[in-house]
Amino acid sequence: MAAPVTPGHTSNPVAPGDLSWGGLQGPPDTPPEPKQLPELIRLKRDGDRLSEGDIRGFVRAVVDGSAQGVQIGAMLMAIRLRGMDLEETVALTQALAKSGEQLEWPEAWRQQLVDKHSTGGVGDKVSLVLAPALAACGCKQVPMISGRGLGHTGGTLDKLESIPGFTVIQSPEQMQGLLEQVGCCIVGQSKKLVPADGILYEARDVTATVDSLPLITASILSKKVVESLSALLVDVKFGAAAVFPSQAEARELAEALVGVGAGLGLQVAAALTAMDNPLGRSVGHTLEVEEALLCMDGAGPPDLRDLVTRLGGTLLWLSRQAEDPAEGAARVAATLDDGSARDRFERMLAKQGVDPRLARALCSGTPAQRRQLLPRAREREELLAPADGTVELVRALPLARVLHELGAGRSRAGEPLRPAVGAELLVGVGEKLRRGTPWLRVHLDAPALSGPQRRALQGALVLSARAPFAAPSPFAELILPPAAPQQ
């Protein structure tokens, strides 16, 4: 069954570049004195609205270092608790985007520039597959600016950095070279590229403000504004292991992204996808790289392939490179089956610092050979099914929390990770499981799991007495921008 499509809510459409949204006026002849940070924090703490100048002043202080860490955290928490209206969110997005350099591309690339972003999930390695697949489809330019892990979710950059030599920091000139030669790149935020968001992104991770709707919206779109995209698709996760537990809450963020994007002159669509179970069968940095390669072999878990092809197909359609999402999805699937996406991935690795011999070995080797080439955990421990039954659910959140404790995630900004820590699901949702059969293999650097960790992981497995069944697709709904092409 096709996922429902909802038009984006943009009650006050504006022309690209007009960011007034009916409320922001031109600067007065004599600008007022800028407010001090404590006053700005107090205003937002008390539920008042920040002006465009106030927001620019806060972002400027973040970048020039005059804002102390405690002040940044206080402002983030005030925004988290009091929120921001549409005008404030547009202003924050603009200020973050303008805090560094803007990316400029050849005019001939304009219709080919597409990107995808995820709000974060457990086992979400879609970007590792989708960027090279889109490049292989002819979206020659996919300047994917990604992030690191937030909260219990893993970051795309952390996964790629588990490959020895991979370099995420690239200058605009290096990015253009990558796009010309490979067709895709996955990079991080340098101090020159959206530096303010890089600082706030790390602070959100350690101040319990990851789930703030305006902060999420501004963080995502600021990185995309500087990319000069023709189309952006945001994968908004919902469920027990997502930032937003319910589909309705995720839809609120999706509509904000579509609306703010329209105000910034950016064509944004949003897919709502479920995140109760981990995506795929592997969680953890190196294990997810291995599973992404398996998907690019034309194999791997069906839910991962389904999401990659659906998201990619929608982007090809939005950028008018496919007649409809189904045709686009078929083209993406073909790149996975014929090896062309994997070839692009290999070239991207080699151009972003990985030894070309290692890149070739990873992309041409068997799964067993690949495991020998990436960091490996010191220990493995398997958990056994406590009873007979059909797998109804593998709760992603307790699984992610235990792996976080074992070193797969951060508790402080800049903290090093253990890339080989992770877990393999040995069964999938809908499959029959016998008592005493291994269902989970944990990769850890500690001697063994603790008792509480083992109990938490066993509690993640939910069994039922019903017959085996086909697991549903995680893809639930698509929210489109006003200017989307007609199907």
Side-chain angles (χ1 to χ4, degrees):
M1 180 182 294
V5 176
T6 305
H9 293 270
T10 52
S11 55
N12 297 304
V14 296
D18 176 7
L19 301 174
S20 66
W21 285 84
L24 298 176
Q25 304 299 321
D29 293 337
T30 305
E33 285 291 318
K35 300 182 182 73
Q36 298 298 307
L37 278 179
E39 184 180 357
L40 295 179
I41 295 167
R42 178 185 58 76
L43 284 170
K44 182 48 66 179
R45 180 202 67 188
D46 294 344
D48 291 329
R49 186 180 174 281
L50 298 178
S51 71
E52 187 177 6
D54 293 338
I55 291 168
R56 284 199 307 265
F58 169 66
V59 171
R60 191 180 306 116
V62 169
V63 175
D64 68 23
S66 59
Q68 301 174 34
V70 291
Q71 292 176 315
I72 294 173
M75 179 62 89
L76 293 177
M77 185 57 71
I79 293 170
R80 163 64 179 80
L81 296 176
R82 292 297 191 172
M84 280 183 154
D85 64 22
L86 190 59
E87 292 175 11
E88 288 177 293
T89 307
V90 169
L92 179 59
T93 305
Q94 281 185 292
L96 294 177
K98 292 179 178 178
S99 67
E101 295 181 352
Q102 308 295 297
L103 296 176
E104 296 182 1
W105 314 110
E107 182 64 27
W109 294 5
R110 180 170 297 276
Q111 201 55 38
Q112 298 169 299
L113 291 159
V114 299
D115 197 1
K116 165 263 175 192
H117 181 88
S118 171
T119 57
V122 180
D124 184 2
K125 69 282 293 179
V126 167
S127 293
L128 304 185
V129 182
L130 187 57
L134 286 171
C137 283
C139 290
K140 196 176 140 184
Q141 287 69 48
V142 189
M144 192 173 282
I145 301 176
S146 297
R148 298 192 181 278
L150 275 181
H152 64 271
T153 64
T156 297
L157 299 182
D158 297 319
K159 294 165 191 176
L160 285 167
E161 284 185 330
S162 73
I163 303 172
F166 192 90
T167 304
V168 301
I169 301 301
Q170 303 286 329
S171 70
E173 295 76 20
Q174 288 172 316
M175 288 177 65
Q176 181 159 336
L178 277 159
L179 298 178
E180 289 173 340
Q181 298 170 46
V182 180
C184 64
C185 61
I186 302 178
V187 303
Q189 293 169 248
S190 69
K191 292 183 179 179
K192 294 182 179 180
L193 202 62
V194 206
D197 181 64
I199 296 167
L200 297 185
Y201 193 92
E202 285 194 345
R204 285 169 54 211
D205 193 19
V206 294
T207 56
T209 55
V210 169
D211 61 348
S212 165
L213 191 149
L215 292 176
I216 294 171
T217 301
S219 176
I220 291 171
L221 293 184
S222 64
K223 293 191 282 286
K224 307 310 173 184
V225 167
V226 302
E227 292 178 352
S228 304
L229 299 172
S230 61
L232 168 67
L233 180 60
V234 184
D235 180 2
V236 182
K237 303 290 188 188
F238 67 90
V243 174
F244 298 103
S246 72
Q247 189 169 340
E249 290 172 295
R251 189 181 300 112
E252 185 181 1
L253 171 62
E255 291 170 350
L257 288 163
V258 172
V260 173
L264 294 164
L266 181 61
Q267 184 175 228
V268 181
L272 305 186
T273 66
M275 181 43 65
D276 292 302
N277 298 283
L279 181 62
R281 294 288 190 94
S282 295
V283 182
H285 302 100
T286 59
L287 295 178
E288 291 187 45
V289 169
E290 293 175 21
E291 188 163 82
L293 284 163
L294 199 60
C295 185
M296 286 183 272
D297 290 337
D303 59 340
L304 174 59
R305 180 185 171 97
D306 177 73
L307 205 51
V308 168
T309 55
R310 286 194 190 223
L311 297 179
T314 300
L315 266 175
L316 290 177
W317 170 62
L318 283 174
S319 60
R320 293 171 169 80
Q321 298 181 68
E323 288 295 320
D324 54 44
E327 179 194 306
R331 288 179 57 194
V332 173
T335 72
L336 304 180
D337 295 334
D338 67 16
S340 57
R342 189 181 60 235
D343 291 343
R344 296 279 180 158
F345 187 70
E346 178 186 337
R347 289 160 60 187
M348 184 184 77
L349 294 184
K351 293 294 183 182
Q352 289 194 236
V354 177
D355 185 308
R357 294 168 297 179
L358 174 58
R360 168 54 61 90
L362 277 173
C363 293
S364 63
T366 65
Q369 289 169 335
R370 289 166 179 162
R371 182 151 296 181
Q372 301 298 317
L373 298 170
L374 295 171
R376 300 174 67 192
R378 290 197 292 267
E379 303 291 340
R380 296 184 189 182
E381 184 171 334
E382 291 186 348
L383 300 186
L384 308 181
D388 292 351
T390 298
V391 180
E392 285 286 335
L393 175 69
V394 177
R395 294 190 177 100
L397 187 57
L399 174 60
R401 284 175 171 165
V402 169
L403 295 179
H404 189 283
E405 289 177 14
L406 293 171
R410 294 183 180 86
S411 299
R412 297 185 303 275
E415 189 174 28
L417 297 173
R418 295 182 179 274
V421 168
E424 297 174 86
L425 296 173
L426 307 179
V427 294
V429 169
E431 295 181 7
K432 198 73 176 175
L433 192 59
R434 295 291 183 188
R435 180 181 180 181
T437 303
W439 72 273
L440 183 72
R441 180 180 299 125
V442 182
H443 297 240
L444 66 164
D445 287 335
L449 293 168
S450 68
Q453 288 170 340
R454 200 172 287 111
R455 286 191 292 274
L457 291 174
Q458 289 287 33
L461 177 65
V462 179
L463 300 174
S464 75
R466 69 164 165 159
F469 60 93
S473 168
F475 194 99
E477 186 177 348
L478 182 63
I479 296 178
L480 295 173
Q486 297 297 310
Q487 295 192 58

